[in-house]
């Protein structure tokens, strides 16, 4: 079970230096946070010289603290005309400050006019204090801060990236010995690029010896402030210290990718790839984007709370929070997709669930801006309708128009997007170092070094996958007349869901019919939706007493799901190569599997396309570019499209 976050306590010493009561240590030298950052970490790692002329440069920091090192590095990057194209700054923090406290610290320590606006941007973008990885983008994505909230001993083994430089920061080895231990340094060695450098203000002998034992060279140099010496060095192992090499960008002759499927999955991929300068050919069998399930009049978005903080909960939490950040960026660029703004109410099924979820929210330490219990009275006041019981409120949850979101993502791609609509992608095939997409007539549609299949249950067929099982689930929605449930003010979920639309209409549903491909509207489907709605909103039964379900309008769409109800997102396996080497791969882990170079999948999002699509797209784009992954590696492996192949190998059932 995930440990709840314990935020840092805001405190200052008499000289104004930020101080941690928990560790009895200061966050930076009394000589100044930014002077320390420049001397110890920036200059100690040979920056800015080492990032010049590079496309991507990645820094990994072991303690974010007040963010001084990040802000100083960001400012140095901005000031360097020969800077790298994209700067990734990954930092771990066990006890993050609240947004208010971080802003208070910055107001006291930031006097440099070049740092002040950066500190303001950081404060404005500061994430909700929940465990896990939070990705924040600045400078139109050219500076990316990836914050990992949690204990470094737990999180470091779960990161997957190639670090060019390490900022070994944190409270002193005497105050926080775990952060300066051999297991931490071995985890860093697993992530180090060839020639990666490190710098740290400490010069303790046991730290130097542990770094050398992990594969780093280390030497003492002039320290900062009252410290006479500090340590710098580089990754220079005299023996093999890791089983797998950290990720590299996929070598391609041109930055061109094909995305098959123009629903939520494909349009999110289009936006994330073009944001990195990739040219994208988007293929869909329909005449426009979002014509299947992504074309529903509205969709809901919210986290998933579970008492054990399951894998599904962690992935959904990460996806929800990252989607909110990307949607906000689109909205700030002038795009609109009718996103609701007053939260989403999750109605408990019974009193036992009410108590259980309230206990889970408290034990996991979730802050009220993420989720908060709602009594029956509070829920009714929020919803403006009578409800049988309370539940819990997601203040940042809600509903939006998925088709409008897809259009916004495609429009944001600009001239880098080529649309190939009204043509069916039957299969993909390898030709030299390219992938070709073939239509139903056997003619090529487009070719590129990268292909992502994002066309739901057709994805496995298009990519010729035998070990990526999915099932189709029919879902029928019901559109209520304007006079019915017209008082509802926020999206409501529970036994089903109800979403208030424009002009007083309400959308409710949806049915869940596995392996049913019938597109025809059914009276029984409307009746089922109304029955579930009445359990959540008893007053609806009276409003519909004289209505005939057969006269109601609605829509039928199809979900694509896996047996574990998790999505497929990531690099596809080379199943033929795996089959040939099945005996050797029987004990394999995901990184051991042979992959089909340049072939990726993004499908089987079920009912959670809105909260999974953007994060999955960022994961795939990061894999292609060799960038730090936006989620923990164990979570990425749980949604790996090759996970069913891996199970077959382990069980010796690969045919």
């Amino acid at each position: 079970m995930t440990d709840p976050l314990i935020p840092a306590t805001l405190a200052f010493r008499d000289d104004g230096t930020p101080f941690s009561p928990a560790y009895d240590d200061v966050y930076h030298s009394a000589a100044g946070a930014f002077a320390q950052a420049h001397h110890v970490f920036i200059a100690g790692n040979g920056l800015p010289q080492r990032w010049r002329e590079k496309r991507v440069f990645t820094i990994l920091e072991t303690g974010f603290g007040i963010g001084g090192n990040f802000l100083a590095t960001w400012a140095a990057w901005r000031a360097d005309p020969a800077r790298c194209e994209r700067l990734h700054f990954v930092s771990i923090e066990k006890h993050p400050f609240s947004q208010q406290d971080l802003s208070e610290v910055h107001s006291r320590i930031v006097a440099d006019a070049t740092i002040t606006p950066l500190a303001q941007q950081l404060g404005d973008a500061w994430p909700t204090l929940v465990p896990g990885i939070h990705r924040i983008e600045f400078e139109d994505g050219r500076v990316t801060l990836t914050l990992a909230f949690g204990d470094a001993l737990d999180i470091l083994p779960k990161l997957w990236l190639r670090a060019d430089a390490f900022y070994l920061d944190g409270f002193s080895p005497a105050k926080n010995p775990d952060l300066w231990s051999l297991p931490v340094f071995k985890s860093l060695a697993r992530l180090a690029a060839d020639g990666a450098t490190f710098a740290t203000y400490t010069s303790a002998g046991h730290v130097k010896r542990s770094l050398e034992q992990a594969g780093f060279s280390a030497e003492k140099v002039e320290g900062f402030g009252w410290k006479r010496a500090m340590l710098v060095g580089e990754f220079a192992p005299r023996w093999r210290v890791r089983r797998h090499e950290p990720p590299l960008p996929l070598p391609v002759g041109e930055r061109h990718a094909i995305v098959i499927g123009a629903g939520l999955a494909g349009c999110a991929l289009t936006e994330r790839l073009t944001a990195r300068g990739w040219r994208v050919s988007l293929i869909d069998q329909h005449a426009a984007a979002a014509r299947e399930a992504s074309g529903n009049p509205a969709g809901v978005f919210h986290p998933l709370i579970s008492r054990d903080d399951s894998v599904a909960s962690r992935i959904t939490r990460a996806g929800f929070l990252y989607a909110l950040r990307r949607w906000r960026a689109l909205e700030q660029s002038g795009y609109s997709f009718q996103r609701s703004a007053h939260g989403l109410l999750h109605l408990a099924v019974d009193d036992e669930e009410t108590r259980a979820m309230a206990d889970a929210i408290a034990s996991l330490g979730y802050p009220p801006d993420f989720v908060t219990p709602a009594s029956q009275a509070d829920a009714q006041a929020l919803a403006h309708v009578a409800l049988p019981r309370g539940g819990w409120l997601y203040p940042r949850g809600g509903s939006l128009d998925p088709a409008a979101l897809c259009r916004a993502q495609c429009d944001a791609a600009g001239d880098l997007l080529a649309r190939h609509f009204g043509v069916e992608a039957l299969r993909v095939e390898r030709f030299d170092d390219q992938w070709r997409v073939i239509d139903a007539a056997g003619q090529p549609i487009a070719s590129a070094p990268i292909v992502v299949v994002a066309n739901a249950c057709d994805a496995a067929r298009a990519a010729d996958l035998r070990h990526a099982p999915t099932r189709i689930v029919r879902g029928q929605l019901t559109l209520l007349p304007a006079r019915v449930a017209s008082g509802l003010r926020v999206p409501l979920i529970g036994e089903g869901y109800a979403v208030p639309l424009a002009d007083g209409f309400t959308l409710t549903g949806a049915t869940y019919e596995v392996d049913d491909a019938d597109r025809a509207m059914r009276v029984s489907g409307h009746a089922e939706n109304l029955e579930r709605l009445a359990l959540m909103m008893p007053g609806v039964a009276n409003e519909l007493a004289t209505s005939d379900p057969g006269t109601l309008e609605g829509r039928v769409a199809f979900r694509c799901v896996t047996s574990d109800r998790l999505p497929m997102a990531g690099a596809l396996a080379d199943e033929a190569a795996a089959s040939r080497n099945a005996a050797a791969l029987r004990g394999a882990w995901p990184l051991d599997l042979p992959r089909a170079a340049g072939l990726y999948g993004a499908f089987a999002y079920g009912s959670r396309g809105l909260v999974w699509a953007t994060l999955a797209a960022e994961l795939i784009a990061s894999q292609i570019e060799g960038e730090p992954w936006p989620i923990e590696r164990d979570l990425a492996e749980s949604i790996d499209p090759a996970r069913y192949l891996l199970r077959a190998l382990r069980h010796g059932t690969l045919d």
Side-chain angles (χ1 to χ4, degrees):
M1 180 173 171
T2 304
D3 292 330
L5 278 182
I6 300 175
T9 299
L10 180 63
F12 297 90
R13 283 191 166 169
D14 292 342
D15 62 0
T17 305
F19 171 77
S20 170
Y23 289 91
D24 189 30
D25 201 1
V26 293
Y27 280 95
H28 63 78
S29 167
F34 301 108
Q36 175 178 300
H38 277 282
H39 180 94
V40 176
F41 299 106
I42 296 176
N45 277 286
L47 304 177
Q49 293 82 3
R50 289 187 56 243
W51 68 36
R52 288 177 176 166
E53 311 302 333
K54 290 192 175 184
R55 170 164 169 75
V56 177
F57 192 88
T58 300
I59 297 168
L60 175 57
E61 180 183 50
T62 54
F64 188 78
I66 60 174
N69 296 336
F70 168 67
L71 292 172
T73 303
W74 182 6
W77 178 88
R78 293 187 98 201
D80 185 6
R83 58 185 174 255
C84 54
E85 185 176 331
R86 294 176 68 87
L87 174 66
H88 276 274
F89 195 102
V90 182
S91 188
I92 300 167
E93 181 53 56
K94 185 176 182 179
H95 299 297
F97 281 103
S98 69
Q99 185 178 45
Q100 180 178 347
D101 286 351
L102 185 70
S103 296
E104 171 67 16
V105 171
H106 290 165
S107 71
R108 296 198 183 197
I109 70 168
V110 177
D112 188 331
T114 62
I115 298 286
T116 300
L118 307 186
Q120 181 64 51
Q121 290 183 56
L122 175 61
D124 291 344
W126 192 244
T128 297
L129 297 191
V130 293
I133 292 179
H134 304 260
R135 176 156 288 182
I136 310 169
E137 291 148 12
F138 304 100
E139 308 282 354
D140 294 324
R142 290 178 296 160
V143 173
T144 299
L145 172 62
T146 302
L147 287 166
F149 286 165
D151 192 317
L153 287 170
D154 295 330
I155 287 183
L156 267 174
K158 298 176 182 178
L159 297 180
W160 196 228
L161 56 91
R162 177 176 287 261
D164 299 293
F166 296 99
Y167 289 5
L168 305 186
D169 202 2
F171 299 114
S172 73
K175 304 289 187 178
N176 188 19
D178 287 347
L179 197 58
W180 304 92
S181 61
L182 182 59
V184 166
F185 298 147
K186 284 184 175 180
S187 289
L188 299 182
R190 184 178 57 84
L191 304 173
D194 295 340
T197 60
F198 79 85
T200 178
Y201 61 83
T202 188
S203 60
H206 73 277
V207 171
K208 182 176 184 291
R209 290 188 294 273
S210 292
L211 281 164
E212 290 171 340
Q213 188 175 345
F216 293 88
S217 66
E219 63 174 322
K220 290 183 179 181
V221 297
E222 180 184 354
F224 173 76
W226 60 268
K227 294 263 312 170
R228 290 196 301 175
M230 64 180 232
L231 292 175
V232 298
E234 66 178 50
F235 181 61
R238 297 190 298 273
W239 54 85
R240 182 169 179 151
V241 297
R242 57 198 182 193
R243 178 175 177 178
H244 300 103
E245 288 299 303
L248 282 167
L250 195 72
V252 295
E254 60 172 335
R255 295 165 61 76
H256 177 207
I258 298 170
V259 177
I260 303 174
L264 286 168
C267 292
L269 278 157
T270 296
E271 191 276 329
R272 289 288 73 211
L273 287 170
T274 55
R276 288 166 164 83
W278 282 72
R279 187 164 57 89
V280 171
S281 297
L282 181 60
I283 300 173
D284 196 275
Q285 62 182 326
H286 296 290
R291 288 296 179 89
E292 291 289 341
S294 300
N296 286 340
V300 295
F301 55 90
H302 57 87
L304 174 65
I305 306 297
S306 61
R307 281 169 280 188
D308 61 349
D309 201 29
S310 65
V311 167
S313 294
R314 292 168 60 203
I315 291 173
T316 303
R317 178 170 68 236
F320 169 75
L321 294 172
Y322 184 66
L324 291 180
R325 285 190 282 275
R326 292 306 316 150
W327 296 344
R328 182 186 180 193
L330 284 171
E331 290 165 339
Q332 290 174 335
S333 297
Y335 300 104
S336 175
F337 28 90
Q338 300 177 31
R339 181 155 68 111
S340 64
H342 302 292
L344 178 144
L345 186 62
H346 194 150
L347 196 64
V349 173
D350 51 36
D351 292 340
E352 181 180 352
E353 186 181 33
T354 302
R355 290 189 295 270
M357 295 311 296
D359 290 344
I361 292 168
S363 65
L364 291 166
Y366 290 136
D369 63 334
F370 181 69
V371 61
T372 183
S375 67
Q376 182 180 16
D378 290 341
Q380 289 183 150
L382 180 69
H384 285 251
V385 295
L387 300 171
R389 63 190 63 85
W392 50 101
L393 170 69
Y394 300 114
R396 300 173 70 191
S399 64
L400 59 75
D401 180 345
L405 173 61
C406 288
R407 289 192 295 270
Q409 290 168 326
C410 289
D411 290 345
D415 295 338
L416 289 172
L417 172 61
R419 296 170 172 86
H420 299 267
F421 290 167
V423 57
E424 181 182 5
L426 187 66
R427 70 179 190 277
V428 298
E429 62 181 26
R430 190 72 171 169
F431 180 76
D432 292 335
D433 60 349
Q434 299 272 305
W435 290 98
R436 290 193 302 200
V437 181
I438 308 299
D439 67 14
Q443 298 300 309
I445 303 170
S447 62
I450 303 287
V451 169
V452 189
V453 288
N455 50 338
C457 282
D458 289 329
R461 172 192 53 76
D464 193 26
L465 299 175
R466 300 180 62 189
H467 296 277
T470 59
R471 301 179 77 176
I472 191 171
V473 178
R474 181 183 183 274
Q476 180 173 317
L477 295 168
T478 300
L479 185 65
L480 300 178
R483 62 179 174 80
V484 178
S486 58
L488 185 64
R489 292 292 179 266
V490 297
L492 180 68
I493 64 173
E495 297 281 357
Y497 66 80
V499 179
L501 303 177
D503 302 321
F505 291 93
T506 301
L507 186 70
T508 189
T511 61
Y512 196 92
E513 297 152 295
V514 180
D515 298 331
D516 188 338
D518 182 16
R519 291 185 176 272
M521 201 74 65
R522 298 172 185 165
V523 175
S524 60
H526 287 320
E528 179 183 334
N529 288 336
L530 297 180
E531 182 179 350
R532 284 202 305 269
L533 181 64
L535 294 175
M536 297 191 299
M537 299 170 56
V540 169
N542 295 329
E543 295 176 357
L544 288 169
T546 60
S547 297
D548 178 5
T551 64
L552 297 175
E553 297 181 8
R555 190 174 191 270
V556 174
F558 300 94
R559 312 172 186 93
C560 176
V561 302
T562 58
S563 60
D564 58 14
R565 297 301 187 265
L566 294 176
M568 300 280 208
L572 300 185
D574 184 337
E575 293 190 343
S579 182
R580 290 193 298 270
N581 296 281
L585 292 172
R586 186 159 187 177
W589 294 95
L591 290 177
D592 298 318
L593 290 179
R595 302 286 174 165
L599 192 58
Y600 297 81
F603 56 100
Y605 292 175
S607 302
R608 302 190 184 276
L610 282 175
V611 292
W612 284 345
T614 308
L615 179 66
E618 177 70 6
L619 172 64
I620 291 170
S622 299
Q623 290 175 340
I624 292 171
E625 291 275 44
E627 297 175 353
W629 288 10
I631 53 175
E632 296 92 327
R633 200 176 77 184
D634 62 319
L635 292 186
E637 290 173 351
S638 72
I639 61 176
D640 189 336
R643 63 187 183 270
Y644 290 94
L645 172 67
L646 193 66
R647 292 171 196 173
L649 287 166
R650 289 176 176 173
H651 296 151
T653 58
L654 187 65
D655 52 15

